Amino acid sequence: MSLPTAWITGAGGLIGHQLIQSAPQFAPGWRIRPITRDVVDLCNFAAVEGLFREETPRLIIHCAAMSRVGDCESNPGLAELTNVRATAHLSCLGADIPFVFFSSDLVFDGAKGGYLETDAVNPLNVYADTKVRAEVEVLRNPLHTVVRTSLNAGVSPTGNRSFTEDMRRAWERGQTLSLFTDEFRNPIHVKMTARAVWALVLKNQPGLYHLAGREEMSRWEIGQLLAQRWSPMEARMLATSLRDYQGPRRSPDTSVRSAKLQAILDFPLLGLREWLAANPHEPV
Ligand SMILES: NC(=O)c1ccc[n+]([C@@H]2O[C@H](COP(=O)([O-])OP(=O)(O)OC[C@H]3O[C@@H](n4cnc5c(N)ncnc54)[C@H](OP(=O)(O)O)[C@@H]3O)[C@@H](O)[C@H]2O)c1
């Protein structure tokens, strides 16, 4: 008997790639179909619809996005098309099947931290705004799921997608990184994220979930952690404060609680520090 097909969009990116790599272990009941830009441009709605009718996937995990905040600020029209309209289009095509959309902790303004799924959103930049609007489109359908994740560490196929890859490359070039001591997130390793998403898919409990490491860390603390891991590389860091920062608005504390998702998982959502300690030889 042939297996049902699962589309993974953004298959060449950090999270999509990891979902594909981990599928044989965590989702052996699915035939995985990686959807990269080479397969189809998700903004070409006619082409996407044609492929959908041809392949009739029974699950879509939608990781494709304009995922860099700066790119979205400089091209808000393309951010809207990619992050909102292409998501809404895929969600409509997949109206009768499970659909998982990746959103971000940056939907919050970061004024209070410790956010739950029931807290009000207040996006401060174009990227976050497109995520909020895409969430609304996706959650119109009670079969569909939104997963808000935080900073994902790990290795991407192109070597330039994750924040850890960005930091490492900057240090390798001899750059000094200014890291905020008072901006907080819940970093998570991408392998943890992929495992949790597959578990959520197999549980078939749609809705809105936070998916982040259980430890809240400042940018500075994250830098310290990675510098230990990458020793003896010279990690140049400058501790800075948001109070002295001048630039586009930033969310100071977008720490999120993932208790809703944790309650349906049978393994802990490790924070980045714990994950690295448990996996001392894994690349990050
Ligand atoms: N990684 C994180 O720390 C993090 C944190 C919070 C939320 N998220 C969200 O999680 C999702 C996955 O993140 P990620 O880090 O895996 O992103 P990523 O590494 O940037 O990958 C996104 C992928 O989407 C593809 N893509 C973009 N536009 C496309 C289009 N029109 N047609 C087809 N493919 C297209 C990109 O292809 P090209 O390279 O050709 O553009 C890229 O391979 C995103 O929605 C992101 O916003 C990620």
Side-chain angles (χ1 to χ4, degrees):
M1 209 174 65
S2 63
L3 297 175
T5 298
W7 272 15
I8 313 288
T9 74
L14 177 71
I15 297 177
H17 175 73
Q18 190 53 48
L19 282 164
I20 292 163
Q21 293 298 107
S22 58
Q25 184 180 4
F26 299 126
W30 290 95
R31 185 183 81 83
I32 303 300
R33 167 65 154 139
I35 303 290
T36 59
R37 195 188 285 276
D38 290 344
V39 173
V40 70
D41 180 344
L42 295 172
C43 298
N44 181 342
F45 296 164
V48 175
E49 188 166 345
L51 193 66
F52 185 89
R53 306 276 171 236
E54 195 184 308
E55 300 193 354
T56 57
R58 305 312 302 154
L59 163 69
I60 300 175
I61 306 183
H62 179 40
C63 306
M66 246 172 102
S67 63
R68 290 194 183 264
V69 170
D71 292 347
C72 294
E73 290 300 311
S74 27
N75 197 341
L78 188 59
E80 157 82 20
L81 178 62
T82 308
N83 291 355
V84 185
R85 288 174 52 205
T87 299
H89 180 248
L90 264 185
S91 167
C92 278
L93 281 179
D96 301 326
I97 63 172
F99 178 89
V100 179
F101 167 65
F102 271 90
S103 184
S104 166
D105 55 352
L106 293 180
V107 295
F108 298 112
D109 59 19
K112 77 174 185 78
Y115 291 99
L116 298 171
E117 288 84 350
T118 45
D119 282 315
V121 297
N122 184 25
L124 298 187
N125 57 46
V126 172
Y127 168 76
D129 183 63
T130 61
K131 289 295 183 187
V132 167
R133 285 183 299 115
E135 286 187 357
V136 172
E137 297 291 337
V138 171
L139 291 174
R140 281 188 215 288
N141 187 327
L143 294 178
H144 289 181
T145 297
V146 170
V147 167
R148 291 182 186 144
T149 192
S150 183
L151 286 175
N152 273 246
V155 178
S156 66
T158 46
N160 61 355
R161 291 288 177 170
S162 71
F163 81 94
T164 44
E165 289 170 330
D166 288 347
M167 290 175 81
R168 189 181 176 121
R169 287 188 312 148
W171 279 334
E172 281 171 348
R173 286 194 298 265
Q175 273 176 248
T176 299
L177 291 176
S178 294
L179 299 173
F180 296 118
T181 55
D182 48 6
E183 184 179 291
F184 298 95
R185 309 283 290 271
N186 293 74
I188 187 166
H189 195 278
V190 68
K191 290 194 173 183
M192 192 81 244
T193 299
R195 182 179 179 191
V197 167
W198 281 127
L200 181 58
V201 164
L202 299 186
K203 295 274 182 193
N204 195 19
Q205 294 189 35
L208 172 63
Y209 294 91
H210 291 169
L211 195 187
R214 58 187 175 182
E215 188 183 15
E216 182 180 325
M217 297 179 81
S218 70
R219 294 266 181 185
W220 172 255
E221 288 168 327
I222 295 171
Q224 300 285 309
L225 176 66
L226 293 172
Q228 283 167 23
R229 180 73 166 210
W230 294 331
S231 169
M233 183 174 63
E234 192 185 358
R236 299 162 187 245
M237 280 177 265
L238 189 65
T240 52
S241 167
L242 280 177
R243 286 191 305 276
D244 306 320
Y245 161 80
Q246 288 177 335
R249 289 177 76 192
R250 300 183 68 97
S251 301
D253 185 351
T254 53
S255 56
V256 290
R257 301 279 177 263
S258 306
K260 181 180 172 188
L261 177 58
Q262 184 62 81
I264 60 173
L265 300 178
D266 54 13
F267 54 88
L269 281 171
L270 299 182
L272 184 58
R273 189 190 301 278
E274 296 171 293
W275 194 93
L276 292 178
N279 298 277
H281 304 298
E282 283 274 350
V284 67

